[in-house]
Short mmCIF file of all heavy atoms in Angstrom, two decimals:
data_model
loop_
_atom_site.label_atom_id
_atom_site.label_comp_id
_atom_site.label_asym_id
_atom_site.label_seq_id
_atom_site.Cartn_x
_atom_site.Cartn_y
_atom_site.Cartn_z
N VAL A 212 -4.42 -33.79 -50.24
CA VAL A 212 -5.66 -34.44 -50.02
C VAL A 212 -5.32 -35.81 -49.53
O VAL A 212 -4.74 -36.62 -50.10
CB VAL A 212 -6.48 -34.50 -51.30
CG1 VAL A 212 -7.77 -35.13 -51.16
CG2 VAL A 212 -6.63 -33.04 -51.89
N SER A 213 -6.01 -35.98 -48.34
CA SER A 213 -5.70 -37.29 -47.58
C SER A 213 -6.72 -38.37 -48.00
O SER A 213 -7.85 -37.95 -48.62
CB SER A 213 -5.88 -37.10 -46.07
OG SER A 213 -4.86 -36.26 -45.63
N CYS A 214 -6.45 -39.62 -47.76
CA CYS A 214 -7.55 -40.60 -47.88
C CYS A 214 -8.12 -40.88 -46.56
O CYS A 214 -7.33 -40.70 -45.53
CB CYS A 214 -6.74 -41.97 -48.32
SG CYS A 214 -6.07 -41.84 -49.92
N THR A 215 -9.35 -41.14 -46.58
CA THR A 215 -9.90 -41.57 -45.28
C THR A 215 -11.08 -42.63 -45.40
O THR A 215 -11.60 -42.66 -46.44
CB THR A 215 -10.57 -40.22 -44.55
OG1 THR A 215 -11.01 -40.66 -43.22
CG2 THR A 215 -11.70 -39.63 -45.38
N THR A 216 -11.36 -43.32 -44.29
CA THR A 216 -12.42 -44.25 -44.34
C THR A 216 -13.62 -43.67 -43.72
O THR A 216 -14.74 -44.24 -43.50
CB THR A 216 -12.13 -45.56 -43.59
OG1 THR A 216 -11.75 -45.23 -42.23
CG2 THR A 216 -10.89 -46.26 -44.19
N ARG A 217 -13.59 -42.45 -43.23
CA ARG A 217 -14.64 -41.71 -42.57
C ARG A 217 -15.73 -41.33 -43.62
O ARG A 217 -15.35 -41.06 -44.74
CB ARG A 217 -14.20 -40.43 -41.93
CG ARG A 217 -15.26 -39.32 -41.85
CD ARG A 217 -14.91 -38.13 -40.98
NE ARG A 217 -14.33 -36.93 -41.56
CZ ARG A 217 -14.78 -36.26 -42.55
NH1 ARG A 217 -15.94 -36.65 -43.31
NH2 ARG A 217 -14.22 -35.22 -43.04
N PRO A 218 -17.07 -41.58 -43.21
CA PRO A 218 -18.12 -41.23 -44.10
C PRO A 218 -18.05 -39.69 -44.62
O PRO A 218 -17.60 -38.83 -43.88
CB PRO A 218 -19.41 -41.52 -43.50
CG PRO A 218 -18.98 -42.14 -42.17
CD PRO A 218 -17.57 -41.89 -41.92
N LYS A 219 -18.49 -39.54 -45.79
CA LYS A 219 -18.39 -38.14 -46.41
C LYS A 219 -19.46 -37.24 -45.70
O LYS A 219 -20.60 -37.65 -45.34
CB LYS A 219 -18.81 -38.23 -47.80
CG LYS A 219 -18.25 -37.01 -48.74
CD LYS A 219 -19.04 -37.04 -50.03
CE LYS A 219 -18.34 -37.92 -51.13
NZ LYS A 219 -19.04 -37.87 -52.32
N ARG A 220 -19.07 -36.00 -45.29
CA ARG A 220 -20.05 -35.12 -44.69
C ARG A 220 -20.77 -34.34 -45.84
O ARG A 220 -20.24 -34.21 -46.97
CB ARG A 220 -19.34 -34.03 -43.86
CG ARG A 220 -18.69 -34.66 -42.60
CD ARG A 220 -18.15 -33.44 -41.66
NE ARG A 220 -17.42 -33.99 -40.60
CZ ARG A 220 -16.21 -33.60 -40.28
NH1 ARG A 220 -15.61 -32.53 -40.97
NH2 ARG A 220 -15.54 -34.03 -39.28
N PRO A 221 -22.01 -33.87 -45.62
CA PRO A 221 -22.66 -32.93 -46.50
C PRO A 221 -21.75 -31.82 -47.11
O PRO A 221 -21.14 -31.18 -46.25
CB PRO A 221 -23.89 -32.41 -45.86
CG PRO A 221 -24.08 -33.23 -44.61
CD PRO A 221 -22.70 -33.87 -44.32
N GLY A 222 -21.63 -31.67 -48.38
CA GLY A 222 -20.84 -30.65 -48.95
C GLY A 222 -19.43 -30.97 -49.20
O GLY A 222 -18.72 -30.31 -49.97
N GLU A 223 -19.03 -32.16 -48.72
CA GLU A 223 -17.64 -32.54 -48.98
C GLU A 223 -17.55 -33.17 -50.43
O GLU A 223 -18.49 -33.87 -50.85
CB GLU A 223 -17.15 -33.53 -47.92
CG GLU A 223 -16.68 -32.88 -46.72
CD GLU A 223 -16.10 -33.67 -45.68
OE1 GLU A 223 -16.40 -34.92 -45.64
OE2 GLU A 223 -15.26 -33.36 -44.79
N VAL A 224 -16.47 -33.01 -51.00
CA VAL A 224 -16.23 -33.55 -52.39
C VAL A 224 -15.07 -34.57 -52.46
O VAL A 224 -13.92 -34.20 -51.94
CB VAL A 224 -16.01 -32.40 -53.43
CG1 VAL A 224 -15.68 -32.86 -54.83
CG2 VAL A 224 -17.08 -31.38 -53.40
N HIS A 225 -15.24 -35.69 -53.06
CA HIS A 225 -14.24 -36.64 -53.21
C HIS A 225 -13.09 -36.05 -54.02
O HIS A 225 -13.42 -35.56 -55.12
CB HIS A 225 -14.80 -38.06 -53.75
CG HIS A 225 -13.89 -39.09 -54.07
ND1 HIS A 225 -13.42 -39.97 -53.08
CD2 HIS A 225 -13.12 -39.38 -55.24
CE1 HIS A 225 -12.61 -40.71 -53.61
NE2 HIS A 225 -12.36 -40.49 -54.85
N GLY A 226 -11.80 -36.23 -53.57
CA GLY A 226 -10.75 -35.65 -54.34
C GLY A 226 -10.48 -34.31 -54.01
O GLY A 226 -9.34 -33.73 -54.36
N ARG A 227 -11.38 -33.58 -53.42
CA ARG A 227 -10.97 -32.12 -53.08
C ARG A 227 -10.73 -32.08 -51.60
O ARG A 227 -9.85 -31.55 -51.12
CB ARG A 227 -12.23 -31.28 -53.44
CG ARG A 227 -11.90 -29.74 -53.08
CD ARG A 227 -13.04 -28.88 -53.21
NE ARG A 227 -13.99 -29.19 -52.04
CZ ARG A 227 -15.35 -28.73 -52.00
NH1 ARG A 227 -15.74 -27.77 -52.91
NH2 ARG A 227 -16.04 -28.93 -50.98
N ASP A 228 -11.74 -32.58 -50.75
CA ASP A 228 -11.65 -32.59 -49.27
C ASP A 228 -10.81 -33.90 -48.92
O ASP A 228 -9.95 -33.69 -48.00
CB ASP A 228 -12.96 -32.56 -48.64
CG ASP A 228 -13.79 -31.36 -49.12
OD1 ASP A 228 -13.27 -30.22 -48.75
OD2 ASP A 228 -14.73 -31.44 -49.96
N TYR A 229 -11.26 -34.90 -49.43
CA TYR A 229 -10.53 -36.31 -49.08
C TYR A 229 -10.80 -37.15 -50.17
O TYR A 229 -11.64 -37.00 -51.15
CB TYR A 229 -11.22 -36.90 -47.85
CG TYR A 229 -10.88 -36.34 -46.43
CD1 TYR A 229 -11.85 -35.55 -45.81
CD2 TYR A 229 -9.63 -36.63 -45.83
CE1 TYR A 229 -11.54 -35.06 -44.49
CE2 TYR A 229 -9.31 -36.09 -44.62
CZ TYR A 229 -10.25 -35.32 -43.92
OH TYR A 229 -9.88 -34.84 -42.70
N PHE A 230 -9.98 -38.09 -50.26
CA PHE A 230 -10.31 -39.34 -51.10
C PHE A 230 -11.13 -40.35 -50.13
O PHE A 230 -10.47 -40.89 -49.18
CB PHE A 230 -9.09 -40.16 -51.65
CG PHE A 230 -8.44 -39.18 -52.58
CD1 PHE A 230 -7.30 -38.51 -52.31
CD2 PHE A 230 -9.04 -38.87 -53.99
CE1 PHE A 230 -6.59 -37.70 -53.13
CE2 PHE A 230 -8.32 -37.99 -54.86
CZ PHE A 230 -7.07 -37.48 -54.46
N PHE A 231 -12.34 -40.51 -50.28
CA PHE A 231 -13.21 -41.36 -49.40
C PHE A 231 -13.07 -42.77 -49.95
O PHE A 231 -13.61 -43.04 -51.04
CB PHE A 231 -14.65 -40.75 -49.29
CG PHE A 231 -14.76 -39.39 -48.79
CD1 PHE A 231 -14.64 -38.43 -49.55
CD2 PHE A 231 -14.84 -39.32 -47.39
CE1 PHE A 231 -14.94 -37.05 -49.05
CE2 PHE A 231 -14.93 -38.11 -46.85
CZ PHE A 231 -14.98 -36.88 -47.67
N ILE A 232 -12.43 -43.70 -49.17
CA ILE A 232 -12.19 -44.98 -49.70
C ILE A 232 -12.74 -45.98 -48.50
O ILE A 232 -12.86 -45.59 -47.47
CB ILE A 232 -10.66 -45.19 -50.11
CG1 ILE A 232 -9.83 -45.01 -48.84
CG2 ILE A 232 -10.38 -44.36 -51.27
CD1 ILE A 232 -8.32 -45.35 -49.21
N THR A 233 -12.78 -47.21 -48.97
CA THR A 233 -13.14 -48.19 -47.95
C THR A 233 -12.03 -48.67 -47.11
O THR A 233 -10.83 -48.48 -47.46
CB THR A 233 -13.76 -49.49 -48.67
OG1 THR A 233 -12.70 -50.09 -49.42
CG2 THR A 233 -14.84 -49.07 -49.55
N LYS A 234 -12.32 -49.39 -46.06
CA LYS A 234 -11.30 -49.99 -45.11
C LYS A 234 -10.34 -50.93 -45.79
O LYS A 234 -9.12 -50.84 -45.75
CB LYS A 234 -11.90 -50.53 -44.02
CG LYS A 234 -11.05 -50.75 -42.86
CD LYS A 234 -11.67 -50.93 -41.48
CE LYS A 234 -10.73 -51.15 -40.36
NZ LYS A 234 -10.83 -52.28 -39.61
N ASP A 235 -10.98 -51.73 -46.83
CA ASP A 235 -10.23 -52.66 -47.52
C ASP A 235 -9.20 -51.80 -48.53
O ASP A 235 -8.07 -52.19 -48.56
CB ASP A 235 -11.09 -53.48 -48.44
CG ASP A 235 -11.71 -54.56 -47.55
OD1 ASP A 235 -11.26 -54.75 -46.48
OD2 ASP A 235 -12.59 -55.37 -48.07
N GLU A 236 -9.68 -50.81 -49.20
CA GLU A 236 -8.84 -50.18 -50.06
C GLU A 236 -7.71 -49.49 -49.33
O GLU A 236 -6.48 -49.38 -49.70
CB GLU A 236 -9.65 -48.99 -50.69
CG GLU A 236 -10.56 -49.56 -51.88
CD GLU A 236 -11.51 -48.52 -52.42
OE1 GLU A 236 -11.97 -47.56 -51.57
OE2 GLU A 236 -12.00 -48.62 -53.60
N PHE A 237 -8.07 -48.92 -48.00
CA PHE A 237 -6.98 -48.22 -47.21
C PHE A 237 -5.99 -49.18 -46.85
O PHE A 237 -4.72 -48.99 -46.84
CB PHE A 237 -7.76 -47.62 -46.02
CG PHE A 237 -7.00 -46.59 -45.29
CD1 PHE A 237 -7.20 -45.22 -45.51
CD2 PHE A 237 -5.86 -46.91 -44.45
CE1 PHE A 237 -6.38 -44.21 -44.79
CE2 PHE A 237 -5.08 -45.98 -43.85
CZ PHE A 237 -5.36 -44.60 -44.04
N GLU A 238 -6.37 -50.46 -46.44
CA GLU A 238 -5.42 -51.42 -45.99
C GLU A 238 -4.55 -51.81 -47.09
O GLU A 238 -3.37 -52.08 -46.93
CB GLU A 238 -6.16 -52.60 -45.39
CG GLU A 238 -6.47 -52.25 -43.83
CD GLU A 238 -7.53 -53.16 -43.21
OE1 GLU A 238 -8.04 -54.10 -43.84
OE2 GLU A 238 -7.89 -52.76 -42.00
N SER A 239 -5.06 -51.98 -48.31
CA SER A 239 -4.22 -52.35 -49.51
C SER A 239 -3.17 -51.28 -49.68
O SER A 239 -2.08 -51.55 -50.05
CB SER A 239 -5.08 -52.45 -50.73
OG SER A 239 -6.10 -53.45 -50.61
N MET A 240 -3.53 -50.00 -49.47
CA MET A 240 -2.62 -48.86 -49.80
C MET A 240 -1.59 -48.88 -48.75
O MET A 240 -0.43 -48.67 -49.07
CB MET A 240 -3.38 -47.52 -49.78
CG MET A 240 -4.27 -47.34 -50.92
SD MET A 240 -5.02 -45.65 -50.93
CE MET A 240 -3.65 -44.49 -51.18
N ILE A 241 -1.90 -49.31 -47.51
CA ILE A 241 -0.83 -49.46 -46.46
C ILE A 241 0.16 -50.51 -46.89
O ILE A 241 1.37 -50.32 -46.82
CB ILE A 241 -1.49 -49.89 -45.11
CG1 ILE A 241 -2.45 -48.75 -44.62
CG2 ILE A 241 -0.37 -50.15 -44.10
CD1 ILE A 241 -3.14 -49.20 -43.29
N GLU A 242 -0.40 -51.64 -47.34
CA GLU A 242 0.54 -52.76 -47.71
C GLU A 242 1.42 -52.38 -48.84
O GLU A 242 2.61 -52.82 -48.86
CB GLU A 242 -0.39 -53.91 -48.07
CG GLU A 242 -0.74 -54.89 -46.99
CD GLU A 242 -1.88 -55.87 -47.42
OE1 GLU A 242 -1.90 -56.29 -48.53
OE2 GLU A 242 -2.63 -56.28 -46.46
N ARG A 243 0.89 -51.70 -49.80
CA ARG A 243 1.73 -51.29 -50.92
C ARG A 243 2.73 -50.04 -50.55
O ARG A 243 3.47 -49.56 -51.49
CB ARG A 243 0.85 -50.82 -52.08
CG ARG A 243 0.02 -52.01 -52.64
CD ARG A 243 -0.60 -51.69 -54.06
NE ARG A 243 -1.46 -50.56 -53.98
CZ ARG A 243 -2.82 -50.73 -53.95
NH1 ARG A 243 -3.31 -51.84 -53.95
NH2 ARG A 243 -3.62 -49.68 -53.93
N GLY A 244 2.65 -49.61 -49.32
CA GLY A 244 3.47 -48.55 -48.91
C GLY A 244 3.12 -47.22 -49.48
O GLY A 244 4.02 -46.46 -49.66
N GLU A 245 1.92 -47.03 -49.87
CA GLU A 245 1.55 -45.68 -50.55
C GLU A 245 1.26 -44.53 -49.69
O GLU A 245 1.06 -43.45 -50.11
CB GLU A 245 0.28 -46.07 -51.40
CG GLU A 245 0.68 -47.04 -52.63
CD GLU A 245 -0.60 -47.26 -53.52
OE1 GLU A 245 -1.58 -46.56 -53.49
OE2 GLU A 245 -0.54 -48.33 -54.16
N PHE A 246 1.49 -44.72 -48.30
CA PHE A 246 1.22 -43.56 -47.47
C PHE A 246 2.49 -43.06 -46.91
O PHE A 246 3.35 -43.90 -46.44
CB PHE A 246 0.24 -43.97 -46.19
CG PHE A 246 -1.17 -44.15 -46.63
CD1 PHE A 246 -1.80 -45.46 -46.42
CD2 PHE A 246 -1.89 -43.23 -47.30
CE1 PHE A 246 -3.13 -45.54 -46.80
CE2 PHE A 246 -3.18 -43.30 -47.64
CZ PHE A 246 -3.80 -44.59 -47.34
N LEU A 247 2.65 -41.77 -46.87
CA LEU A 247 3.75 -41.19 -46.09
C LEU A 247 3.55 -41.35 -44.69
O LEU A 247 4.65 -41.53 -43.87
CB LEU A 247 3.72 -39.68 -46.41
CG LEU A 247 4.88 -38.79 -45.93
CD1 LEU A 247 6.08 -39.07 -46.55
CD2 LEU A 247 4.45 -37.35 -46.06
N GLU A 248 2.36 -41.30 -44.32
CA GLU A 248 2.00 -41.52 -42.74
C GLU A 248 0.57 -41.83 -42.76
O GLU A 248 -0.23 -41.51 -43.70
CB GLU A 248 2.31 -40.44 -41.94
CG GLU A 248 1.58 -39.13 -42.11
CD GLU A 248 0.13 -39.12 -41.81
OE1 GLU A 248 -0.20 -39.63 -40.69
OE2 GLU A 248 -0.64 -38.57 -42.55
N TRP A 249 0.11 -42.60 -41.86
CA TRP A 249 -1.24 -42.77 -41.66
C TRP A 249 -1.60 -43.06 -40.15
O TRP A 249 -0.66 -43.33 -39.44
CB TRP A 249 -1.82 -44.08 -42.42
CG TRP A 249 -1.32 -45.34 -42.06
CD1 TRP A 249 -0.18 -45.88 -42.43
CD2 TRP A 249 -1.89 -46.29 -41.06
NE1 TRP A 249 -0.04 -47.08 -41.82
CE2 TRP A 249 -1.05 -47.28 -40.94
CE3 TRP A 249 -3.01 -46.26 -40.27
CZ2 TRP A 249 -1.27 -48.45 -40.05
CZ3 TRP A 249 -3.37 -47.27 -39.43
CH2 TRP A 249 -2.49 -48.37 -39.37
N ALA A 250 -2.89 -42.80 -39.74
CA ALA A 250 -3.16 -42.98 -38.33
C ALA A 250 -4.73 -43.21 -38.19
O ALA A 250 -5.43 -42.99 -39.09
CB ALA A 250 -2.84 -41.70 -37.63
N GLU A 251 -5.01 -43.72 -37.04
CA GLU A 251 -6.42 -43.85 -36.84
C GLU A 251 -6.84 -42.63 -35.90
O GLU A 251 -6.27 -42.42 -34.93
CB GLU A 251 -6.77 -45.18 -35.98
CG GLU A 251 -8.23 -45.34 -35.74
CD GLU A 251 -8.57 -46.69 -35.05
OE1 GLU A 251 -7.81 -47.60 -35.12
OE2 GLU A 251 -9.63 -46.66 -34.34
N VAL A 252 -7.77 -41.86 -36.33
CA VAL A 252 -8.22 -40.68 -35.69
C VAL A 252 -9.72 -40.77 -35.41
O VAL A 252 -10.45 -40.94 -36.33
CB VAL A 252 -7.76 -39.37 -36.56
CG1 VAL A 252 -8.15 -38.19 -35.61
CG2 VAL A 252 -6.46 -39.44 -37.05
N HIS A 253 -10.09 -40.55 -34.22
CA HIS A 253 -11.53 -40.54 -33.86
C HIS A 253 -12.21 -41.73 -34.40
O HIS A 253 -13.36 -41.64 -34.91
CB HIS A 253 -12.33 -39.29 -34.47
CG HIS A 253 -11.62 -37.95 -34.23
ND1 HIS A 253 -10.99 -37.66 -33.14
CD2 HIS A 253 -11.45 -36.89 -35.11
CE1 HIS A 253 -10.46 -36.35 -33.34
NE2 HIS A 253 -10.73 -35.96 -34.47
N GLY A 254 -11.55 -42.85 -34.46
CA GLY A 254 -12.13 -44.15 -34.91
C GLY A 254 -12.19 -44.39 -36.35
O GLY A 254 -12.77 -45.39 -36.86
N HIS A 255 -11.57 -43.55 -37.17
CA HIS A 255 -11.47 -43.74 -38.59
C HIS A 255 -10.06 -43.70 -39.08
O HIS A 255 -9.19 -43.12 -38.35
CB HIS A 255 -12.28 -42.74 -39.36
CG HIS A 255 -13.73 -42.65 -39.06
ND1 HIS A 255 -14.59 -43.70 -39.46
CD2 HIS A 255 -14.54 -41.78 -38.31
CE1 HIS A 255 -15.77 -43.45 -38.90
NE2 HIS A 255 -15.73 -42.33 -38.28
N LEU A 256 -9.78 -44.18 -40.24
CA LEU A 256 -8.37 -44.21 -40.78
C LEU A 256 -8.14 -43.04 -41.69
O LEU A 256 -8.99 -42.70 -42.47
CB LEU A 256 -8.07 -45.49 -41.46
CG LEU A 256 -8.23 -46.84 -40.66
CD1 LEU A 256 -8.14 -48.05 -41.54
CD2 LEU A 256 -7.15 -46.84 -39.59
N TYR A 257 -7.03 -42.34 -41.53
CA TYR A 257 -6.61 -41.28 -42.32
C TYR A 257 -5.17 -41.43 -42.91
O TYR A 257 -4.37 -41.86 -41.93
CB TYR A 257 -6.76 -39.95 -41.53
CG TYR A 257 -8.07 -39.52 -41.03
CD1 TYR A 257 -8.60 -40.13 -39.97
CD2 TYR A 257 -8.77 -38.62 -41.76
CE1 TYR A 257 -9.84 -39.69 -39.46
CE2 TYR A 257 -10.04 -38.16 -41.30
CZ TYR A 257 -10.61 -38.70 -40.14
OH TYR A 257 -11.77 -38.35 -39.67
N GLY A 258 -4.91 -41.12 -43.98
CA GLY A 258 -3.58 -41.25 -44.46
C GLY A 258 -3.15 -40.28 -45.53
O GLY A 258 -3.98 -39.78 -46.34
N THR A 259 -1.82 -40.01 -45.54
CA THR A 259 -1.34 -38.95 -46.55
C THR A 259 -0.69 -39.81 -47.76
O THR A 259 0.28 -40.41 -47.50
CB THR A 259 -0.17 -38.11 -45.96
OG1 THR A 259 -0.80 -37.49 -44.74
CG2 THR A 259 0.23 -37.01 -46.93
#
Side-chain angles (χ1 to χ4, degrees):
V212 181
S213 296
C214 294
T215 184
T216 59
R217 149 168 98 56
K219 204 197 272 180
R220 292 187 190 129
E223 282 184 330
V224 176
H225 179 83
R227 184 194 67 188
D228 301 291
Y229 281 108
F230 294 104
F231 295 94
I232 61 175
T233 63
K234 201 162 176 231
D235 281 351
E236 285 168 331
F237 199 101
E238 279 164 358
S239 306
M240 286 182 74
I241 297 176
E242 270 167 34
R243 293 196 297 265
E245 292 179 21
F246 289 124
L247 180 69
E248 62 73 41
W249 66 272
E251 187 178 331
V252 189
H253 318 312
H255 300 289
L256 299 172
Y257 294 82
T259 306

